Amino acid sequence: MRAIPTQEPAAMKPHPSKVFVETTTRCNLRCPMCIKHGGKEEFQEGDMSLETFHALLSSLPPVEVIVLNGIGEPLLHPDLEHFVRLAKSRVAPDGWVGFQSNGLMMDHQRAVSFVDAGLDRICLSVDSISPDVFKKIRKGGDFAKVEQALDVLHEVKTLNGSSLEVGVEFVLRRDNVHELPSTIRWAALHGADFAIVTQLFPYHRDLVLQATYDANLDSSVSLFQKYAKIAREEDVDLNRYYDVFMKYEKRGDAEKVTKLVDSMVSEAFRQGLTLNLKKLFSMDQGWADRLETVFAETRIAASEAEVKLKLPEIVPKKSRRCEFVEEGCVFVSWDGQIHPCYFLWHHYQCFINGMVKTVKPKVFGNLSDLNLVEIWNDPAFLSFRKGVLRYDYPYCFNCSFALCDYVQGGDFEQDCYVNAEPCGICLWCMDVFQCLK
């Protein structure tokens, strides 16, 4: 169990500190890796009304952050600049307002209007600097237009002496990871101040093999590598385990393999670790090593270009931290529904290490019924946040029973630890996925 921080987290304050606002669900692209195009779930298209946005802000004291994007393209919203102005009136002096975008609709005129409105941060999606690869990943996209968007943003902020921070987001895939260092250098040449790199969250089975990370915990991988090294030193093929472990009588190498794995499982138990043995044996360590090499080169590129860089983990961390809950985040759908985090914002199907999981949104209220602060302080929402902060839930993807009936379906009631929060199935709190926040 992870200890609760001694200082009161933002989650326990009487109002949220960071607000994520889905200004629209409409988009001008059809990216295969998008949550909207991954499965059979249908997303109702809509724009947040000015009335709903006013209702959202009406009860808020100054907050740290307001992010104006969800699963749609914010630039499609006709009132986005007005939303930025209104949001600026509800952030603290050292707070910020920003959004992520595909950048296709950003021209000189809109760049000026956003700088005039007081926009603090904008992050454009750039998953490749090869026009053909970019078009494949961002279906309907145009790399030249994104490059132009970066250029006009840099030009306008420079001419106006604006403090606007411009960044890029790069979604890692096996077919684009080699481009990451060069993309950072390219982004810097076009005025980028920061770069967010995130792992791919597969919403479709066809994308599972594109994921560059492994769902085994870092601690489990370290333990497995320890015993794999012992096996090599003893000239034992550990990968034979599933060929021999069911044999009634084990001799020679079969006995050695079984004893080594049994010792590993026993040590894991003493450390409080669960092991998904099949996933550990099938792990592509060579790919993980290659990715770490790319990350090292990317860090150098970012340092030389003075670009602030945020990289994801290659394997999930055992030490969990839900930034969304700890930092007092709240997520608002375009229709006014209130949610606790990115993971539980929408209804979708996802695939981790080939395992399918249905996720349904967690809704704590709607702005048409109560104001945001009232919903935030509702006993059910408060209890949920307290439950998350206990960090006393299983590591579902690291379990040999994954995914069990407790968590696989969308109608979650409790996990095997009898928790009402579905956090054991979430990788956001292990620094695998990143976003503008």
Side-chain angles (χ1 to χ4, degrees), residues 31 46 62 102-103 139 190 214 267 302 309 327 374 400 406 417:
C31 306
N102 60 41
K139 190 174 181 181
H190 292 274
D214 190 276
E267 184 171 343
L309 176 68
E327 296 178 7
E374 289 172 332
S400 292
Y406 279 116
Y417 286 17

Side-chain angles (χ1 to χ4, degrees), residues 204-218:
H204 195 283
R205 193 178 297 277
D206 292 347
L207 291 171
V208 170
L209 295 180
Q210 284 288 354
T212 68
Y213 60 96
D214 190 276
N216 291 297
L217 286 179
D218 54 356

